[in-house]
């Protein structure tokens, strides 16, 4: 991978590794809009201040938008979530393998 490609990956990881960022995206993966309160409940354990910060950052990154019915994942965010969809299958296999030990 070139240094330019590495920089792009590092920029993406920097956005996603912020506390609760992936949880916010994951909570919206079904495509249904969620109000702030519903999103807070869906994420679980997130304070309003932290959720506001993550929403702002994810909107600036182009992953989220706010429509008349609440927050939704943008087409860019949907593309990201599609690429992360294998995480669920991997997580299931990983936890099952660890439970056998």
């Amino acid at each position: 991978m070139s240094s330019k490609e590495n920089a792009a990956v590092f920029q993406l990881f920097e956005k996603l590794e912020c506390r609760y960022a992936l949880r916010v995206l994951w909570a919206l993966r079904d495509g249904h809009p969620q109000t702030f309160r519903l999103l807070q409940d869906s994420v679980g354990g997130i304070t309003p201040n932290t959720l506001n910060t993550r929403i702002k950052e994810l909107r600036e990154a182009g992953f989220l938008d706010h429509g008349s019915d609440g927050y939704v994942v943008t087409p860019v965010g949907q593309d990201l979530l599609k690429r992360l969809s294998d995480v669920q299958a991997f997580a299931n296999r990983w936890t099952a393998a660890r439970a056998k030990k």
Side-chain angles (χ1 to χ4, degrees):
M1 218 184 284
S2 73
S3 61
K4 194 176 202 177
E5 290 170 326
N6 278 338
V9 169
F10 293 155
Q11 286 177 15
L12 176 62
F13 283 175
E14 185 177 357
K15 287 290 178 201
L16 298 179
E17 69 189 9
C18 290
R19 190 167 189 202
Y20 294 106
L22 279 172
R23 283 186 176 190
V24 170
L25 287 171
W26 200 253
L28 293 166
R29 74 187 179 280
D30 65 2
H32 294 101
Q34 292 189 30
T35 63
F36 185 89
R37 181 70 183 137
L38 183 57
L39 185 55
Q40 185 179 12
D41 290 343
S42 296
V43 172
I46 190 170
T47 66
N49 188 43
T50 300
L51 181 56
N52 269 323
T53 301
R54 289 300 88 81
I55 287 171
K56 180 182 176 191
E57 293 168 351
L58 292 168
R59 288 182 76 182
E60 288 172 356
F63 297 133
L64 288 187
D65 202 1
H66 189 267
S68 58
D69 294 331
Y71 293 97
V72 293
V73 178
T74 65
V76 172
Q78 290 170 352
D79 186 29
L80 173 62
L81 286 169
K82 182 175 77 173
R83 294 169 192 284
L84 293 173
S85 65
D86 288 338
V87 170
Q88 182 70 55
F90 174 85
N92 291 340
R93 289 190 308 272
W94 178 70
T95 56
R98 291 179 52 89
K100 291 180 184 176
K101 292 182 179 183

